[in-house]
Amino acid sequence: MPSNIFVECNVNFNEFPTKSGILDNYTFSIKDLFDLKGHVKSNGHKGSLAKFEPCNKTSPVITSLLNEGAKLIGVTNCDEFFYSLTGIESSFQQPKNWINEKLVPGGSSSGAASSVGYDLVDFALGSDTGGSIRVPASFCSMFGIRPTHGRIPTNGVTALAPSLDTLGWLTKKPELLAKVGKILLKNYCSKNNKIERFIVVDDLFKHCTKEIYTASRKWIKSLESYGDIQVKSFSKINFESAIMDFQIIQGWEAKKGIVKFIKNNDLKLRQNIQERINFADSITETEYKRSAKNRNIFKQSIDSLIEDDCVAIFPTTPMPALNKGKINQELTLFRKKIHNFTCIAGLTGRPQISLPFSLSLPLPFGISILGGLNRDEQLISLIEEIYL
C-alpha cells in the first residue's frame, strides 16, 4: 500500500471479527486518530509513536461498521495533530491529490481522501473540526459529510477541540452517505421532513473565485425542481469576528489537551503547526469566555437566517484546490478565507455535506448544503434524490 496514504500498522485486519449487513462488500479506511486494538496511533506525527502504547480497545465506531459487513483496509495518514487544512502537514510522506498530484489534497483528513480518490477503499472515516473533511472533499472532488455535532460518539478518538470535533466520512459513492449514516448516526430516521427551501448565501458566493461562482450558480438553477430557491444576505454577521472566536475556542480546547501532550513530550512540529500551537498556548481564559459568549450570539443569528425547513447553499471552499508549490506563500490568506466558509457548521454544530463537481472543470472544488441541527437525514435524502 502507498506509504503516503497509509501509515504503518502491525495489526492484522483479518483478525477483527466481521458480520454481515448493509455494508457487505464495501471497504473502508480510518484516519490515524481512531483507537484500533494493537495499533499505536501517530496522530500525524512520527515522533509521537514512541510516546503512545498500543491501543487496548477498538473505537465503537469501527466495530459498528465491521458488524455490518464493511472490511477495514488500512489506517490513513493525516496532518500533524489535525491542526491544518492543507493536507501537506504530516511528518510522514505527504498524501497526494488523486486528480492532480501538483495540487494539495486538503486536510487534515488528507490520507482519508487519497484512499478514496485512488479507489483503494469505498469510504474513509475521518474527523472534522474546522473543515478537515469538507476541505479534502472539495479539493478531491468527492462527497464529504460533517454530521451534527454529537450525532456520532467520539469515544475512542483523539480529540482536538471537543466542542467542535465531529466524525464523518468521505466517499465517491452517494449511496454510502445513507448506508454509513444508518449505522453511525444516533437515532437515524429516514422519514425526516422534506426540504422545502434552499437559501443561497449570496455573501459567500461573492467571496469565491469567478470559476466557482459561475459553475455553482448553474447547479443551483437545477434545484428549482426540488424546492423554492431564495437568495439571502448574511451581511449583518461579522464573519471576521466569528473566525477569531472559532480559532480561540478551538485553541483553548486544544490547549487543555493536545498542546499539553506536545509540550510535555517536547515534540518538534512542522513550522505552520507549531505556530498554531503557540497561538493556542497564548489564549487566556478571559478571551475564551468572551468567544464562547459570542458563539451563542452567532448561533442565534444563523438560526434566524436558516430555519428548520430549509438548507443553506454555498461553496465548500472559496477557491479550487491550490498548487503545492505556492501554498506556503498563500497560507495565512488561505486559512482566513476558508474559515469564512467552514466556521458556520463548526460554531453552530449543524450538519454539512460537500458535493463534488465535474472533473471536466479545470480545477476541483465542491459546493455545500448546510442543514438544521439533527437534520442530517434531510441532507442525505436530498443527495440520494439528486444523484441516485
Side-chain angles (χ1 to χ4, degrees):
M1 291 184 179
S3 60
N4 63 319
I5 296 177
F6 295 100
V7 299
E8 184 176 351
C9 182
N10 295 322
V11 172
N12 182 353
F13 299 125
N14 292 324
E15 292 181 358
F16 289 91
T18 59
K19 298 179 182 178
S20 183
I22 64 173
L23 292 178
D24 285 350
N25 302 316
Y26 287 110
T27 58
F28 74 105
S29 64
I30 58 171
K31 185 176 180 177
D32 199 16
L33 51 59
F34 288 88
D35 287 359
L36 184 67
K37 188 174 181 180
H39 172 62
V40 180
K41 292 190 288 186
S42 73
N43 300 298
H45 190 280
K46 191 180 297 185
S48 70
L49 290 171
K51 310 297 181 181
F52 285 106
E53 295 294 324
C55 300
N56 56 22
K57 292 182 180 179
T58 295
S59 168
V61 170
I62 298 170
T63 302
S64 65
L65 295 171
L66 296 173
N67 286 342
E68 288 291 339
K71 183 178 180 181
L72 179 60
I73 296 297
V75 180
T76 57
N77 195 358
C78 58
D79 285 332
E80 287 183 339
F81 296 102
F82 339 117
Y83 223 147
S84 171
L85 293 175
T86 63
I88 55 170
E89 296 289 359
S90 170
S91 61
F92 299 93
Q93 187 178 356
Q94 309 302 325
K96 294 180 171 62
N97 189 319
W98 70 285
I99 298 170
N100 183 338
E101 293 186 356
K102 293 182 180 180
L103 304 176
V104 298
S108 63
S109 303
S110 49
S114 291
S115 70
V116 171
Y118 285 103
D119 296 321
L120 302 174
V121 295
D122 295 302
F123 68 97
L125 290 187
S127 66
D128 188 308
T129 302
S132 290
I133 280 178
R134 292 164 288 165
V135 174
S138 179
F139 286 0
C140 294
S141 196
M142 58 187 64
F143 296 94
I145 179 169
R146 175 197 164 97
T148 295
H149 185 266
R151 282 291 301 266
I152 302 177
T154 56
N155 45 319
V157 176
T158 306
L160 172 59
S163 80
L164 300 167
D165 293 345
T166 59
L167 304 181
W169 61 101
L170 293 146
T171 184
K172 292 180 184 176
K173 301 178 178 181
E175 72 271 15
L176 282 175
L177 292 174
K179 287 186 176 183
V180 176
K182 288 174 182 177
I183 298 164
L184 298 187
L185 294 170
K186 291 190 298 183
N187 304 315
Y188 190 93
C189 178
S190 57
K191 294 182 179 179
N192 220 300
N193 293 333
K194 181 178 172 61
I195 295 167
E196 301 291 344
R197 291 183 294 142
F198 299 95
I199 304 298
V200 178
V201 185
D202 193 48
D203 311 76
L204 294 181
F205 278 98
K206 289 178 179 177
H207 282 88
C208 66
T209 63
K210 184 178 179 180
E211 173 192 57
I212 290 179
Y213 180 88
T214 302
S216 298
R217 302 294 285 207
K218 288 181 180 178
W219 181 82
I220 290 169
K221 182 75 174 173
S222 71
L223 292 178
E224 289 180 345
S225 59
Y226 300 99
D228 294 331
I229 298 175
Q230 300 175 3
V231 178
K232 280 192 178 181
S233 172
F234 283 22
S235 59
K236 292 183 179 180
I237 294 178
N238 187 335
F239 275 96
E240 189 168 341
S241 294
I243 291 168
M244 181 53 66
D245 290 327
F246 175 89
Q247 292 175 347
I248 287 173
I249 292 168
Q250 179 188 44
W252 176 261
E253 294 183 9
K255 182 177 180 177
K256 299 299 179 181
I258 61 164
V259 174
K260 280 186 177 181
F261 172 81
I262 290 166
K263 291 175 65 177
N264 290 343
N265 289 282
D266 195 28
L267 296 180
K268 306 301 179 186
L269 305 173
R270 294 173 66 88
Q271 180 181 343
N272 293 324
I273 304 297
Q274 186 62 59
E275 288 174 359
R276 273 156 233 162
I277 296 299
N278 292 344
F279 168 75
D281 199 35
S282 72
I283 296 168
T284 66
E285 187 171 5
T286 299
E287 290 172 325
Y288 165 71
K289 288 182 175 179
R290 182 173 61 245
S291 290
K293 183 178 179 181
N294 291 342
R295 180 184 191 176
N296 291 328
I297 297 170
F298 180 82
K299 284 182 180 179
Q300 292 169 9
S301 298
I302 294 296
D303 288 345
S304 68
L305 293 164
I306 310 172
E307 298 168 331
D308 284 343
D309 67 338
C310 64
V311 298
I313 300 176
F314 49 87
T316 305
T317 55
M319 73 289 284
L322 298 175
N323 189 290
K324 281 183 180 179
K326 298 179 180 178
I327 187 65
N328 283 328
Q329 303 167 23
E330 304 169 342
L331 190 59
T332 301
L333 183 60
F334 165 82
R335 291 188 75 232
K336 183 176 181 180
K337 280 188 174 182
I338 282 202
H339 276 146
N340 274 287
F341 292 71
T342 61
C343 75
I344 300 175
L347 290 173
T348 64
R350 288 169 173 260
Q352 182 177 341
I353 300 178
S354 180
L355 319 175
F357 263 84
S358 170
L359 292 178
S360 64
L361 294 170
L363 292 172
F365 70 90
I367 192 166
S368 277
I369 52 174
L370 177 92
L373 286 174
N374 298 309
R375 298 289 182 120
D376 308 58
E377 295 91 336
Q378 278 188 315
L379 303 185
I380 291 171
S381 294
L382 176 63
I383 301 304
E384 289 185 311
E385 193 174 355
I386 294 173
Y387 288 91
L388 296 179

